[in-house]
C-alpha cells in the first residue's frame, strides 16, 4: 500500500501539472486511500494537499477547504512543507473565490514561506495566479500584472496555467486602462478563454 500511495501521488502530480484536473483528483483520491491503509501520514498529507489544490482549481471550493483542513490536522511542525504549501494555496484560492481577501493574503504569505524552503514549481505558479487575482480584487491592477510577469520569469509554466495567467493579465491591463495591452493578452489567451 505504501508503494501504491507513492505511485498514485506521483501520477496525481503529473496529471495536475498536465492540467487534467479530474484525472488528478481521481489518482490523488486513490492515493489518499492507499496511504490510509499503509498508515503513512506523510504520504497521505501529500496526496491530500495536492487533492485540495486540484479540487480548488476545478471549482470544488467546499471540498478543497475540507481537504486542506485535514492536511493541517495531519502534519506535524517537522512535516510542514510540500503538502502544506499545496493545501495553503488551495485554501487561499478558496478564500479569494469567496472574496475573503484578508484570509487569502494570509494563506499566500504562509505558503510563500514554505515554498521558499521547499520549492514546488506548480504550487508556486498557482500561488502567483491567486496573488494576481487578489491584486485585481484589491483594485491594484499594476501589482496583478507584475505578479503574472514574475510567475513567468521563474520557469516554464504548464500551458493550462499560462492561459489562466494570461486571462488575469488581460483583465489587469483592462482595469489599468491599457486597452491595447489588454487586447493583446486576450489574443494570446486564445479563443477558448472567457475573454
Amino acid at each position: 500500500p505504501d508503494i501504491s500511495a507513492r505511485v498514485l501521488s506521483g501520477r496525481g502530480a503529473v496529471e495536475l501539472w498536465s492540467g487534467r484536473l479530474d484525472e488528478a483528483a481521481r489518482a490523488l483520491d486513490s492515493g489518499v486511500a492507499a496511504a490510509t491503509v499503509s498508515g503513512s501520514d506523510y504520504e497521505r498529507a501529500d496526496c491530500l494537499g495536492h487533492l485540495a489544490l486540484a479540487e480548488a482549481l476545478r471549482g470544488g471550493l467546499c471540498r478543497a477547504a475540507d481537504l486542506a483542513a485535514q492536511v493541517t490536522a495531519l502534519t506535524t511542525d517537522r512535516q510542514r512543507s510540500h503538502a502544506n504549501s499545496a493545501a495553503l494555496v488551495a485554501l487561499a484560492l478558496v478564500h479569494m473565490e469567496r472574496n475573503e481577501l484578508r484570509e487569502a493574503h494570509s494563506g499566500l504569505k504562509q505558503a510563500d514561506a514554505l515554498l521558499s524552503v521547499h520549492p514546488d514549481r506548480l504550487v508556486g505558479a498557482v500561488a502567483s495566479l491567486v496573488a494576481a487575482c487578489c491584486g485585481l480584487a484589491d483594485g491594484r491592477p499594476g501589482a496583478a500584472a507584475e505578479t503574472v510577469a514574475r510567475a513567468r520569469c521563474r520557469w516554464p509554466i504548464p500551458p493550462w496555467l499560462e492561459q489562466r495567467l494570461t486571462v488575469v493579465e488581460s483583465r489587469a491591463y483592462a482595469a489599468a486602462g491599457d486597452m491595447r495591452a489588454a487586447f493583446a493578452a486576450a489574443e494570446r489567451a486564445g479563443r477558448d478563454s472567457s475573454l
Side-chain angles (χ1 to χ4, degrees), residues 152 162-163 165-171 173-174 178-191 193 195:
R152 286 185 177 132
E162 171 63 35
Q163 183 184 29
L165 285 167
T166 303
V167 169
V168 172
E169 179 185 37
S170 177
R171 291 181 179 150
Y173 286 137
D178 187 349
M179 298 314 289
R180 180 172 288 161
F183 285 129
E187 291 271 327
R188 285 194 319 274
R191 292 191 177 118
S193 74
L195 296 175

Side-chain angles (χ1 to χ4, degrees), residues 89-169:
V89 171
L91 199 53
L93 179 53
V94 169
H95 287 305
M96 187 271 305
E97 289 289 345
R98 293 177 176 167
N99 202 29
E100 301 164 348
L101 299 180
R102 181 176 294 137
E103 293 88 347
H105 286 296
S106 175
L108 287 172
K109 187 175 181 179
Q110 293 174 49
D112 282 343
L114 289 175
L115 288 167
S116 68
V117 177
H118 300 282
D120 181 305
R121 292 179 179 184
L122 181 64
V123 173
V126 175
S128 294
L129 174 68
V130 176
C133 289
C134 284
L136 278 177
D138 285 336
R140 299 178 301 121
E146 287 174 21
T147 301
V148 170
R150 275 195 312 274
R152 286 185 177 132
C153 73
R154 291 183 193 156
W155 43 68
I157 295 173
W160 67 271
L161 190 52
E162 171 63 35
Q163 183 184 29
R164 288 186 183 199
L165 285 167
T166 303
V167 169
V168 172
E169 179 185 37

Side-chain angles (χ1 to χ4, degrees), residues 36-73:
T36 302
V37 168
S38 74
S40 172
D41 285 348
Y42 178 80
E43 203 63 48
R44 185 170 170 221
D46 188 50
C47 287
L48 282 168
H50 285 90
L51 180 56
L53 190 60
E55 287 294 340
L57 287 167
R58 66 186 200 154
L61 302 182
C62 290
R63 183 152 193 248
D66 290 342
L67 293 165
Q70 289 179 46
V71 173
T72 303

